[in-house]
Amino acid sequence: MKLLGLDIGGANIKTAFSGVDGLIQGSCYFPIWERKHELRPFLGRVVEEFKPERVALTMTAELSDAFSNKREGVNFIVDSLEGCFNGRILVSSTDGVFVSPKEAREEYMKVASANWVAISQYAAKRYDSGVLVDVGSTTTDIIPFSEGLIVPEGRTDLERLQSGELLYTGALRTNLATIADSVPVRGVETGVSSEFFALTADVYRVLGDIQEEDYVCDTPDERGKSTKECMARIARVVCADTLMLDDEEIRDIACYLKDNQLGLVRRGMEKIADRWGLDKAFTCGSGSFIAEKAACKAGLEIHRLEMNTASAMLNLLRE
Amino acid sequence: MKLLGLDIGGANIKTAFSGVDGLIQGSCYFPIWERKHELRPFLGRVVEEFKPERVALTMTAELSDAFSNKREGVNFIVDSLEGCFNGRILVSSTDGVFVSPKEAREEYMKVASANWVAISQYAAKRYDSGVLVDVGSTTTDIIPFSEGLIVPEGRTDLERLQSGELLYTGALRTNLATIADSVPVRGVETGVSSEFFALTADVYRVLGDIQEEDYVCDTPDERGKSTKECMARIARVVCADTLMLDDEEIRDIACYLKDNQLGLVRRGMEKIADRWGLDKAFTCGSGSFIAEKAACKAGLEIHRLEMNTASAMLNLLRE
């Protein structure tokens, strides 16, 4: 059976194809708020390329402000896929089962932002107990599992923001102004600009944690992704520029912001691990380097999962 | 002498014209990062309309990421005005004097983001002692003055972020994710999305502090400015929508965020007032309603200045 997995996020679409040659994983920057009407042709090209017999679908893009509400978003995404694929579609739900497009439309809240379910279910089945820590470009999922089952307190994004199982902080697209109210500059606490001047990708690029090709989202100022250009964006966060601050001073700001984000993820992870008495972290996502450092500081045993959410669905369907 | 005052901010251009019929003040939403190349024709139309003999200029738009650095920004803005006005141009500097376009280019750091100077100098000359609190669409200036002179600790934006005389929080354009890390929803602490889903204008519109015509900036989702549409944006900050949260629940979130922003301004104002032993607040700006509430809570005597930064320059020049 040739299976295609699709994870349609707000900023990225992840794909996984499982055919005779094994598994092929992919990811593409696709900002839905700018390219909503290109979704159907995009999916059409993916379907054309892989010619799957079945497609497994999960999403978070329905939250985007391209849609008035989640119902409209879920319908649009399901319609887009149905419009270019005639075979069977299976939609991942927060109940941990796959549902039909018809059920997805009827129970749209159960398929909205369900993309954390499949990968944590996969981890639970394979590793029995631990915490899944998936640091993506935009958000972080921290999902506890025990005795082969996931045991989240929240199911919807709202509930997950309340339970701490969803942190809205990520490795690439997070506005630095949401990570710290102030940063030290030349030893003095300095307020930050609340504009969208720079993002976490700039910090990790300057500190060498990611390379230019990993910086897959757009830059806030539409300039390039060289470390020099990333530094200029970071300087602007304290209303300065690269004529006022030297490289070392900008790197100090980047280090401070990195530590702040690591602290957010570490404390979130500790809270969930402590709640369930878990001692292993299973890390994944484009920001797995953050998950690993945070898990290390939290004293958890680290296991890296080389899998995206789209391929996790295929693994569950194959069993 | 027919005088025109121009305050070219990153998001708004304020004008003041003083001629035979007295003073005319104006403000126009002009996002420089989108409309940089329309600046010169825009200024040309203003000059054509008022036919001033002299123009006084102040700016903060040079900080915009439309420019690589402040030098480029200052040069571009001065060039744009010189390109459409042949008379004498006076540029406000952080030293408290007006300089020529040539000096502005040479000493660009002294004219960069100097738009807080003229209005606080005006207040100092007229009222002797107090704290100027100018809450704009994007930022808040808190400038102490004593015995007829302004006594700021910082002059550049970077120094002012360090001294607390510049808070990067405003009445319209501030991303709600920079005001609070979490908000209560149905009594439960709930993390917020770090996306640019909603801004302070949405909060003040929902709470009735501003009307639709006061919401002069763009909406984050390019939808309208009705309270219903503002509520939808606020709901999205906790990854919800108006089908999940009712009006009362969304208003509770708005109230919490308003209190948070008021607290930021109040604490900032108290810090500066205490530093100099001042007991009067002189409020202005599109967010003067915030400045007044914060000053009231801080126990300061409140005086409202009915003046924008552009007309403050004209007042100084006339003396």
Side-chain angles (χ1 to χ4, degrees), chain A residues 182-195:
Chain A
S182 64
V183 298
V185 178
R186 298 171 188 152
V188 181
E189 193 186 339
T190 307
V192 303
S193 165
S194 56
E195 299 280 6

Side-chain angles (χ1 to χ4, degrees), chain A residues 127-133 142-145 269 272-273 277-283 295 298-303:
Chain A
Y127 300 104
D128 196 68
S129 296
V131 187
L132 178 93
V133 188
I142 305 177
I143 313 296
F145 54 93
M269 200 185 304
I272 307 290
L278 300 168
D279 58 4
K280 295 189 191 80
F282 295 84
T283 64
L300 300 171
E301 195 182 300
I302 300 163
H303 302 259

Side-chain angles (χ1 to χ4, degrees), chain A residues 188-190 244, chain B residues 93-96 109-110 112-118 120-121 140-145 150-167 271-272 275-276:
Chain A
V188 181
E189 193 186 339
T190 307
M244 290 169 72
Chain B
S93 83
T94 55
D95 285 342
M109 280 303 291
K110 293 202 167 168
S113 294
N115 78 339
W116 55 276
V117 175
S120 48
Q121 276 187 319
T140 295
D141 295 310
I142 305 177
I143 313 296
F145 54 94
I150 60 170
V151 287
E153 290 197 353
R155 294 277 170 176
T156 66
D157 271 357
L158 174 59
E159 290 166 358
R160 286 161 16 83
L161 285 171
Q162 297 185 317
S163 68
E165 289 155 352
L166 170 62
L167 303 181
K271 189 170 119 183
I272 307 289
R275 195 181 284 163
W276 293 93

Side-chain angles (χ1 to χ4, degrees), chain A:
Chain A
M1 173 77 74
K2 292 193 288 179
L3 287 173
L4 175 67
L6 287 172
D7 174 10
I8 303 178
N12 295 284
I13 296 180
K14 288 173 196 152
T15 54
F17 178 70
S18 144
V20 284
D21 300 325
L23 190 75
I24 304 166
Q25 289 192 159
S27 182
C28 174
Y29 181 61
F30 191 96
I32 193 90
W33 61 93
E34 285 175 0
R35 299 176 61 185
K36 181 175 146 184
H37 292 290
E38 291 171 50
L39 181 62
R40 186 171 153 170
F42 176 92
L43 296 178
R45 288 192 297 276
V46 174
V47 164
E48 184 56 33
E49 182 185 347
F50 292 111
K51 299 189 173 56
E53 291 156 78
R54 286 190 187 173
V55 176
L57 171 67
T58 191
M59 66 186 83
T60 55
E62 84 293 332
L63 171 66
S64 164
D65 61 18
F67 308 111
S68 294
N69 52 52
K70 291 170 194 288
R71 186 164 59 195
E72 181 187 318
V74 168
N75 283 338
F76 183 90
I77 292 162
V78 172
D79 287 352
S80 297
L81 181 57
E82 281 200 320
C84 64
F85 179 66
N86 288 320
R88 187 160 168 213
I89 295 170
L90 300 141
V91 190
S92 179
S93 83
T94 55
D95 285 343
V97 296
F98 288 93
V99 301
S100 70
K102 183 168 176 286
E103 290 168 295
R105 284 195 189 85
E106 283 164 10
E107 299 251 35
Y108 67 91
M109 280 303 291
K110 293 202 167 169
V111 300
S113 294
N115 78 339
W116 55 275
V117 176
I119 194 157
S120 48
Q121 277 188 318
Y122 167 81
K125 285 197 176 158
R126 173 119 190 228
Y127 300 104
D128 196 68
S129 296
V131 187
L132 178 93
V133 188
D134 184 349
V135 181
S137 66
T138 313
T139 56
T140 295
D141 294 311
I142 305 177
I143 313 296
F145 54 93
S146 178
E147 297 178 11
L149 294 173
I150 61 171
V151 286
E153 291 199 352
R155 294 278 169 175
T156 66
D157 271 355
L158 174 59
E159 291 166 356
R160 286 161 17 82
L161 285 171
Q162 297 186 315
S163 68
E165 288 155 353
L166 170 61
L167 303 181
Y168 223 105
T169 202
L172 300 180
R173 294 184 55 255
T174 303
N175 182 348
L176 299 183
T178 68
I179 293 182
D181 296 328
S182 64
V183 298
V185 178
R186 298 171 188 152
V188 181
E189 193 186 339
T190 307
V192 303
S193 165
S194 56
E195 299 280 6
F196 182 44
F197 279 150
L199 27 74
T200 39
D202 294 316
V203 162
Y204 294 116
R205 182 85 182 89
V206 163
L207 298 178
D209 292 298
I210 64 169
Q211 301 306 308
E212 190 159 331
E213 62 268 24
D214 304 320
Y215 191 145
V216 295
C217 57
D218 293 328
T219 58
D221 58 2
E222 294 172 10
R223 290 198 169 79
K225 297 168 181 180
S226 67
T227 53
K228 206 175 168 60
E229 288 164 302
C230 295
M231 282 187 177
R233 283 188 287 273
I234 294 172
R236 196 167 273 120
V237 171
V238 287
C239 298
D241 61 25
T242 50
L243 302 173
M244 290 169 72
L245 296 178
D246 65 27
D247 289 5
E248 206 47 52
E249 288 167 330
I250 294 171
R251 245 182 241 113
D252 286 348
I253 297 173
C255 278
Y256 181 87
L257 289 165
K258 175 180 177 171
D259 281 348
N260 256 41
Q261 191 175 41
L262 274 174
L264 290 171
V265 175
R266 193 199 72 210
R267 286 190 297 277
M269 200 185 304
E270 283 172 348
K271 189 170 122 182
I272 307 290
D274 288 352
R275 196 181 284 164
W276 293 92
L278 300 168
D279 58 4
K280 295 189 191 80
F282 295 84
T283 64
C284 60
S286 58
S288 59
F289 66 96
I290 299 169
E292 280 163 32
K293 279 181 191 130
C296 178
K297 288 193 179 188
L300 300 171
E301 195 182 300
I302 300 163
H303 302 259
R304 184 186 290 199
L305 292 182
E306 299 289 357
M307 177 164 290
N308 71 24
T309 43
S311 49
M313 288 192 293
L314 304 192
N315 264 287
L316 291 175
L317 284 171
R318 287 209 163 275
E319 280 173 10

Side-chain angles (χ1 to χ4, degrees), chain A residues 9-11 31-37 60-70 72-73 76-77 168 173, chain B residues 175 193-199 202 215 218-224 229-237 239-241:
Chain A
I32 193 90
W33 61 93
E34 285 175 0
R35 299 176 61 185
K36 181 175 146 184
H37 292 290
T60 55
E62 84 293 332
L63 171 66
S64 164
D65 61 18
F67 308 111
S68 294
N69 52 52
K70 291 170 194 288
E72 181 187 318
F76 183 90
I77 292 162
Y168 223 105
R173 294 184 55 255
Chain B
N175 182 346
S193 165
S194 56
E195 299 280 7
F196 182 44
F197 278 150
L199 26 75
D202 294 317
Y215 191 145
D218 293 328
T219 58
D221 58 1
E222 294 172 11
R223 290 197 169 78
E229 289 164 299
C230 294
M231 282 187 176
R233 283 189 286 272
I234 294 172
R236 195 168 273 120
V237 171
C239 298
D241 60 26

